[in-house]
Amino acid sequence: MAIFKGAGVAIVTPMHEDGKVNFEKLGEILEFQIANSTDAIIICGTTGESSTLTHGEHLQAIKYTIDKVAKRVPVIAGTGSNCTETAVMMSKEAVLYGADALLLVTPYYNKATQKGLIEHYTTIANAVPETPIIMYNVPSRTGCNIQPATAVALAKNVKNIVGIKAASGDLSQIAKMMSMADGCIELYSGNDDQVLPILSVGGLGVISVLSNVAPKYTHDMVMKYLDGDTAGATKMQLDAIPLINALFCEVNPIPVKEAMNLMGMNVGPVRMPLSEMEPANKEKLAKALKDFGLELA
């Protein structure tokens, strides 16, 4: 059984102006997501600024989210690291808190060979053998690409490695992987502008940045496709492209946090080395939000 179908939100981590994590605001946006049909919560991923959270903050955010959501939708905890030992530690803690699944990014900076990726993922999976794992392939950020044969080997040989968040942007690679998988991989789009193409090769949904500002829309788009309304889903995908482009006009999550602030959600600043949005891009983002029909504060 799939971890989820539909749109899972790659949720931001709200901050106070002094840079501390704003857990009260996190609770508010979790309730907003659940009320607006989000199918899963992905906490402490890239969009959640996991790379600049301390280990303590990271684990506290995961625990807070699991407790707040209280099994209303699946909570998928980002526990990946470029240190296998750290990823094992974080994964074990998240499982103790009650995470429904884990999202594990490929090792970054030190990278890994394909053999190293197999050893890395297998070691983490064996440490939490009853918890489903989604591999996260985003080579533009990590410099490390999970090749189709590697992803399929892991999914076939490690019982709790069940899925992949595909954010390579390479649809040919994704199609090749799914042709080799023979149904053993649960596929989720990691790019909001490629949701429908990935659904068309067997995807189950998206782990979405767009869902932070338009959760019901993103959920409905996926469900239209899965329910057979290809034309309706296609129109929704294409209508969302200008906003999606604006949400990625600077490095994620700078624009999506700015968008949420423009909408009055008050999720605060990003942490360095990320910086506040350029004024010209902020204007473009505000226009895209309004053109999409979202109200600004």
Side-chain angles (χ1 to χ4, degrees):
M1 185 175 176
I3 297 166
F4 77 96
K5 291 185 179 181
V9 61
I11 204 159
V12 304
T13 300
M15 307 283 184
H16 292 289
E17 289 304 316
D18 64 3
K20 292 179 181 176
V21 176
N22 186 341
F23 287 100
E24 182 179 357
K25 183 59 65 175
L26 177 58
E28 290 178 18
I29 62 175
L30 289 169
E31 293 299 334
F32 167 74
Q33 288 292 325
I34 292 169
N36 284 277
S37 303
T38 283
D39 298 290
I41 305 291
I42 294 82
I43 183 71
C44 294
T46 303
T47 310
E49 297 178 80
S50 56
S51 59
T52 50
L53 297 176
T54 67
H55 288 160
E57 290 171 328
H58 192 138
L59 292 171
Q60 191 178 1
I62 290 170
K63 187 176 190 307
Y64 180 92
T65 299
I66 291 166
D67 292 345
K68 183 72 172 175
V69 171
K71 297 297 182 183
R72 287 175 288 173
V73 297
V75 173
I76 301 166
T79 54
S81 173
N82 64 338
C83 171
T84 305
E85 185 177 340
T86 300
V88 167
M89 179 274 290
M90 300 279 276
S91 298
K92 284 182 173 180
E93 285 294 312
V95 170
L96 284 175
Y97 302 154
D100 296 290
L102 304 175
L103 180 70
L104 298 176
V105 71
T106 56
Y108 39 87
Y109 185 71
N110 49 6
K111 304 194 285 188
T113 63
Q114 298 302 299
K115 176 186 176 185
L117 286 174
I118 290 172
E119 293 176 356
H120 174 78
Y121 278 111
T122 301
T123 298
I124 302 166
N126 287 343
V128 286
E130 303 306 317
T131 302
I133 287 170
I134 300 172
M135 300 173 285
Y136 178 17
N137 193 36
V138 57
S140 65
R141 281 188 178 265
T142 65
C144 186
N145 185 25
I146 307 177
Q147 294 293 338
T150 303
V152 171
L154 282 162
K156 285 187 174 178
N157 295 320
V158 185
K159 70 170 186 174
N160 57 324
I161 295 180
V162 299
I164 191 165
K165 176 185 175 183
S168 67
D170 186 342
L171 292 171
S172 294
Q173 175 177 292
I174 294 164
K176 180 179 179 181
M177 177 186 71
M178 293 305 283
S179 74
M180 297 169 65
D182 195 26
C184 74
I185 293 179
E186 297 173 10
L187 172 65
Y188 298 98
S189 175
N191 291 333
D192 285 307
D193 62 348
Q194 294 183 343
V195 180
L196 261 64
I198 285 177
L199 290 175
S200 75
V201 294
L204 301 178
V206 59
I207 295 176
S208 172
V209 174
L210 176 65
S211 284
N212 281 283
V213 296
K216 182 132 191 344
Y217 186 98
T218 314
H219 163 86
D220 288 349
M221 176 177 68
V222 176
M223 289 307 172
K224 273 184 183 290
Y225 186 92
L226 295 178
D227 290 341
D229 184 3
T230 306
T234 299
K235 184 177 189 307
M236 292 183 77
Q237 172 79 89
L238 297 178
D239 287 349
I241 293 296
L243 176 56
I244 292 166
N245 288 342
L247 288 170
F248 289 90
C249 69
E250 291 187 20
V251 67
N252 180 48
I254 293 171
V256 71
K257 274 193 141 177
E258 186 61 54
M260 295 172 79
N261 289 331
L262 287 168
M263 293 170 65
M265 295 187 192
N266 301 321
V267 296
V270 290
R271 279 189 177 173
M272 292 175 62
L274 300 183
S275 57
E276 294 305 304
M277 204 167 186
E278 295 290 342
N281 286 334
K282 185 175 176 179
E283 286 183 22
K284 292 176 185 176
L285 177 62
K287 182 179 185 302
L289 289 165
K290 287 189 284 187
D291 290 348
F292 193 71
L294 296 172
E295 292 186 13
L296 305 189

